[in-house]
């Protein structure tokens, strides 16, 4: 066999091996989350310390698409989702506590890198970009004005199961950047820098279309 034929045969065998080992998937994804606002700051206003802290967790949701490309046990899974998150806020002024709730709607783009143990169990982690679409304030804190960034960077990490065409995931998401730059105290012109972030536990179910 000539060298040229040998190289063609080697290339054909290598291509066949890669095509068998490679997994390309596209599917739908959705689920729920339990999210919280993480902040603990004190603002001195007119001789009174006002404490701004995170409160109760809130229920959120997400829905969208995912893709997955894998070779052997390794894979990369980008997703594009519409997601709602947020959390409760407590404002303590001289012992009087005012409660409210922040809600955020985001375009969420996680890129997960994972490893599969056999055919079912897997672990994954990666960065997530959240682009703010809208925000809403509920409760008794509507007068508090906070400046939000258009986008934030975070991370996700978790475990998952692949059962036939069904994907089940449990993930934690944390923030690597703060939500906004400052907050304005109602009834005053005073503004303070803030470091408000969100975190959430995410339960997600996906369905592989192909």
């Amino acid at each position: 066999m000539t060298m040229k034929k040998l190289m063609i045969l080697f290339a054909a065998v290598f291509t066949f091996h890669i095509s068998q080992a490679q997994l390309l998937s596209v599917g739908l994804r959705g689920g729920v989350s339990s999210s919280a606002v993480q902040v603990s700051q004190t603002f001195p206003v007119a001789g009174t310390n006002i404490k701004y802290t995170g409160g109760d967790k809130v229920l959120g949701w997400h829905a969208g698409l995912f893709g997955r490309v894998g070779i052997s046990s390794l894979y990369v899974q980008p997703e594009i989702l519409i997601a709602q998150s947020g959390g409760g806020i407590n404002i303590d002024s001289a012992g009087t506590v005012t409660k409210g709730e922040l809600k955020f709607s985001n375009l969420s783009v996680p890129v997960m890198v994972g490893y599969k143990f056999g055919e079912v169990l897997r672990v994954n982690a990666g960065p997530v970009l959240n682009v703010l679409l809208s925000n809403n304030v509920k409760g008794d804190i509507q007068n508090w004005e906070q400046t939000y960034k258009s986008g934030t960077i975070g991370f996700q990490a978790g475990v998952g199961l692949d059962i036939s065409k069904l994907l089940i995931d449990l993930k934690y998401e944390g923030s690597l950047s703060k939500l906004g730059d400052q907050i304005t105290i109602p009834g005053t012109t005073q503004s303070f820098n803030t470091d408000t972030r969100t975190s959430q536990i995410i339960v997600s179910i996906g369905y592989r279309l192909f």
Side-chain angles (χ1 to χ4, degrees):
M1 183 179 292
T2 65
M3 180 62 68
K4 183 177 181 180
K5 290 182 178 179
L6 188 62
M7 291 179 64
I8 292 174
L9 178 61
F10 175 79
V13 171
F14 179 77
T15 302
F16 176 78
H17 175 74
I18 290 297
S19 67
Q20 293 300 304
Q22 188 174 40
L23 176 65
L24 171 62
S25 302
V26 174
L28 304 175
R29 175 171 210 92
V32 296
S33 64
S34 175
S35 59
V37 172
Q38 298 174 325
V39 63
S40 181
Q41 291 183 262
T42 300
F43 311 121
V45 178
T48 300
N49 286 332
I50 298 178
K51 192 170 184 180
Y52 184 67
T53 59
D56 296 334
K57 294 180 174 62
V58 302
L59 186 67
W61 57 266
H62 60 277
L65 302 171
F66 75 90
R68 184 190 291 180
V69 178
I71 297 178
S72 187
S73 297
L74 296 174
Y75 67 88
V76 177
Q77 181 172 301
E79 304 171 12
I80 182 164
L81 310 166
I82 299 296
Q84 188 180 77
S85 61
I89 288 292
N90 297 331
I91 300 173
D92 187 336
S93 177
T96 300
V97 179
T98 302
K99 294 188 175 184
E101 187 177 279
L102 304 179
K103 285 277 193 176
F104 305 102
S105 294
N106 296 309
L107 177 66
S108 182
V109 186
V111 180
M112 308 301 291
V113 178
Y115 184 86
K116 294 189 68 173
F117 298 93
E119 295 299 320
V120 177
L121 180 65
R122 55 186 165 77
V123 296
N124 48 204
V128 55
L129 170 65
N130 288 309
V131 179
L132 183 64
L133 301 177
S134 65
N135 65 87
N136 186 28
V137 180
K138 295 183 178 181
D140 298 322
I141 62 170
Q142 284 94 340
N143 293 330
W144 285 64
E145 296 180 4
Q146 186 160 359
T147 303
Y148 295 106
K149 293 184 176 180
S150 59
T152 57
I153 297 292
F155 66 91
Q156 292 184 355
V159 296
L161 299 174
D162 290 346
I163 305 172
S164 186
K165 291 189 175 184
L166 195 65
L167 283 65
I168 303 172
D169 282 271
L170 175 64
K171 297 189 290 185
Y172 172 81
E173 180 178 319
S175 296
L176 298 176
S177 58
K178 58 185 181 179
L179 290 173
D181 295 320
Q182 63 182 15
I183 191 166
T184 302
I185 306 300
T188 75
T189 57
Q190 291 182 271
S191 296
F192 296 90
N193 292 330
T194 59
D195 190 353
T196 307
R197 302 170 189 246
T198 58
S199 63
Q200 56 182 330
I201 301 294
I202 302 168
V203 178
S204 183
I205 296 178
Y207 182 79
R208 196 191 332 261
L209 298 176
F210 62 85

